[in-house]
Amino acid sequence: MQDQIFNIHTEQEFTEVALHVFRHQFTNNKVYRSFCDLLYVHPSDVTTISQIPFLPIQFFKTHRVLSSSDAIQETFTSSGTTGSVFSKHFVTDKLLYQKSYRKGFEHFYGNIKDYVVLALLPNYLERKGSSLVAMVDDFIQQSNNPASGFYLNNLDELASTLNELDKSGPKVLLIGVSFALLDLIEKQQFSLQNTIVMETGGMKGRRKELIRDELHDLLGKGFGVSEIHSEYGMTELLSQGYSKGNGIFKCPPWMKIMLRDTNDPLSFNNKSGGLNVIDLANVYSCSFIATQDLARMHSKASFEVIGRFEDSDVRG
């Protein structure tokens, strides 16, 4: 099935694989099967992806969402506020996750081996179970460059390294959580020429929340770059969307966004609404997830996150 997932080239191929994955998860995922039963949806009646039920993301907090009987190799947990209940994503195939994020990055940016990777993810490093840290750690190892690495509170060292690398010519990927990137440009202003600055979102209660335009304006001026890149991912997914500027995200071929009506979660539109994600790499958990994000479609292949539902959980 993995060969099919990562060799999708057309809408028709995506639909065929998605329906195959749906049938597999309906049969093998007790939580998802119960959810489908409550909606009176059976695979025999499903011929399009718009007919597939999307599991509310909150189920990852209260249930073991699994479509496999294999041993759990890794448990990824969400970040959150003190006292909150964390989501858990039970992964039975770590190599599948690795394949997904490597191919996803390569789809948009080329080979990770061509980059020096500098990671500023303090809050993620300070806890266990972060899927983002697992991904970036692998990027650092794959870059095979001694200058690549994680930074915690040593912002002066990072600033010096970043300036030296940017001037010496290699392509640099600086990936960081929003509040830490703001901390860095308060230490020093930059004028970067060969660096991609990528924010992963999240103030984590460390700073006042900012709208995306305001955040990217501050970061763009502070780093001296015209565009701030972004990564859209979460604990419950094994794939990521990427934005190369203006907060407009695109997904790899095995990942798709659909927008549900804010008043009728079983209806869809192509303008704005609740963000539903199909992540076919989630074949052994659940590939059809209704998130708590609100989004606007820009085309069939691109979207913008515009907010979250009221009373939704605080997330990265």
Side-chain angles (χ1 to χ4, degrees), residues 120 176-183 199-203 207 215 219 316:
L120 187 56
V177 68
S178 300
F179 78 82
L181 292 173
L182 290 171
D183 289 345
E199 56 92 3
T200 66
M203 292 300 181
R207 284 175 173 265
L215 171 65
L219 293 177

Side-chain angles (χ1 to χ4, degrees), residues 272-297:
S272 63
L275 195 155
N276 284 6
V277 179
I278 301 176
D279 179 9
L280 297 180
N282 268 18
V283 62
Y284 300 127
S285 55
C286 183
S287 291
F288 311 97
I289 298 174
T291 78
Q292 294 176 310
D293 290 328
L294 294 165
R296 179 185 298 120
M297 296 298 287

Side-chain angles (χ1 to χ4, degrees), residues 101 104-110 112 115-124 132 135-136 139 158 162 172-182 184-185 192 194-202 212 215-216 219-220 223 225-233 240-250 316:
Y101 63 65
F105 183 88
E106 186 173 3
H107 180 77
F108 293 106
Y109 293 101
I112 191 64
Y115 292 83
V116 179
V117 181
L118 306 178
L120 187 56
L121 303 167
N123 60 305
Y124 292 94
L132 178 61
M135 178 181 79
V136 175
F139 283 170
L158 173 58
L162 182 56
V172 179
L173 171 64
L174 172 63
I175 182 168
V177 68
S178 300
F179 78 82
L181 292 173
L182 290 171
L184 181 60
I185 59 173
L192 303 176
N194 298 302
T195 299
I196 292 173
V197 179
M198 181 180 291
E199 56 92 3
T200 66
R212 188 253 307 157
L215 171 65
H216 284 203
L219 293 177
F223 287 109
V225 296
S226 58
E227 299 289 355
I228 298 296
H229 294 228
S230 305
E231 179 253 4
Y232 181 81
Q240 300 77 33
Y242 288 100
S243 165
K244 294 188 175 183
N246 299 314
I248 309 301
F249 290 91
K250 293 185 177 181

Side-chain angles (χ1 to χ4, degrees), residues 2-3 10-11 13 20 25 45 54 56 60 64 72 96 114 203 210 216-217 264-265 271 278 289 292 310 314:
Q2 291 186 32
D3 289 340
T10 66
E11 283 284 325
E13 289 176 349
H20 181 56
Q25 294 182 344
D45 303 318
F54 284 80
F60 282 84
R64 291 167 64 91
I72 295 168
L96 176 61
D114 296 332
M203 292 300 181
L210 302 174
H216 284 203
D217 183 60
D264 180 4
K271 294 181 180 179
I278 301 176
I289 298 174
Q292 294 176 310
E310 289 185 18
V314 176

Side-chain angles (χ1 to χ4, degrees), residues 241-270:
Y242 288 100
S243 165
K244 294 188 175 183
N246 299 314
I248 309 301
F249 290 91
K250 293 185 177 181
C251 296
W254 56 91
M255 183 180 179
K256 185 179 181 68
I257 299 301
M258 298 175 68
L259 301 185
R260 66 185 185 274
D261 190 290
T262 53
N263 296 313
D264 180 4
L266 301 182
S267 298
F268 296 92
N269 67 68
N270 58 5

Side-chain angles (χ1 to χ4, degrees), residues 2 6 71 73-74 76 91-103 134 138 142 238 254 281 283-284:
Q2 291 186 32
F6 296 115
Q73 298 179 354
E74 188 80 55
F76 292 128
V91 178
T92 59
D93 189 347
K94 289 193 294 185
L95 291 180
L96 176 61
Y97 178 45
Q98 184 183 86
K99 190 172 186 177
S100 179
Y101 63 65
R102 284 183 180 180
K103 281 184 169 289
D138 185 61
Q142 286 293 304
L238 295 186
W254 56 91
V283 62
Y284 300 127

Side-chain angles (χ1 to χ4, degrees), residues 132-151:
L132 178 61
V133 167
M135 178 181 79
V136 175
D137 183 54
D138 185 61
F139 283 170
I140 290 170
Q141 301 303 319
Q142 286 293 304
S143 73
N144 200 30
N145 191 303
S148 294
F150 284 102
Y151 289 81

